[in-house]
Amino acid sequence: MQTLLDFMKRIPAVRPEIANGTESDGTWWIKFSLDVRHDLAWNVVQELGHVCNWLSVDERLPTRFYPVSAPPYLNGGPEDFLYWIIASTEHAFSPALALEWLEGRLPNPVDDLENWNVD
């Protein structure tokens, strides 16, 4: 899990505070926030959504990527209270396998900002 967390911290706009856990069925999750003011924040959401949720019609990973939030009317806006989850849906899909798929499909090297420009 630590290698996946270290990789995630290298992705532009991902804030370094990343929570993680394992469920009783062996599935796992990571939770992180994005710097919503970062120029590439939405590019990161799009890339992670593509790899984790919809790699192709015939080839989907057993992962889900989605937002979660505390009630905004009680706490504040997305800058401080919007989080993102990547969660496995099958115990056999390890964090190491998730890392392989992310490394193979996200811009490479992942921390080179120029590689994230799609224009």
Side-chain angles (χ1 to χ4, degrees), residues 23-38:
E23 302 298 331
S24 60
D25 64 359
T27 58
W28 53 267
W29 55 269
I30 59 175
K31 181 177 94 171
F32 58 94
S33 62
L34 295 173
D35 176 356
V36 297
R37 295 177 190 232
H38 194 287

Side-chain angles (χ1 to χ4, degrees), residues 1-118:
M1 179 66 80
Q2 190 58 51
T3 307
L4 176 58
L5 298 176
D6 291 342
F7 176 79
M8 293 297 299
K9 291 175 186 176
R10 293 178 46 219
I11 296 174
V14 172
R15 292 186 171 154
E17 305 81 25
I18 301 177
N20 67 89
T22 305
E23 302 298 331
S24 60
D25 64 359
T27 58
W28 53 267
W29 55 269
I30 59 175
K31 181 177 94 171
F32 58 94
S33 62
L34 295 173
D35 176 356
V36 297
R37 295 177 190 232
H38 194 287
D39 290 341
L40 296 172
W42 285 113
N43 299 67
V44 169
V45 169
Q46 184 178 24
E47 291 277 355
L48 291 174
H50 164 67
V51 176
C52 295
N53 294 346
W54 197 264
L55 193 56
S56 78
V57 173
D58 298 327
E59 184 179 36
R60 293 189 186 166
L61 296 182
T63 56
R64 297 293 170 259
F65 172 64
Y66 55 92
V68 294
S69 177
Y73 54 86
L74 292 177
N75 296 291
E79 197 168 310
D80 295 317
F81 292 98
L82 180 62
Y83 299 95
W84 298 89
I85 305 285
I86 296 176
S88 68
T89 59
E90 296 177 9
H91 72 275
F93 193 75
S94 68
L97 285 173
L99 176 61
E100 281 182 39
W101 281 94
L102 290 170
E103 283 180 323
R105 277 141 188 97
L106 293 182
N108 187 9
V110 75
D111 49 2
D112 184 343
L113 300 183
E114 291 299 315
N115 288 332
W116 287 84
N117 285 328
V118 293

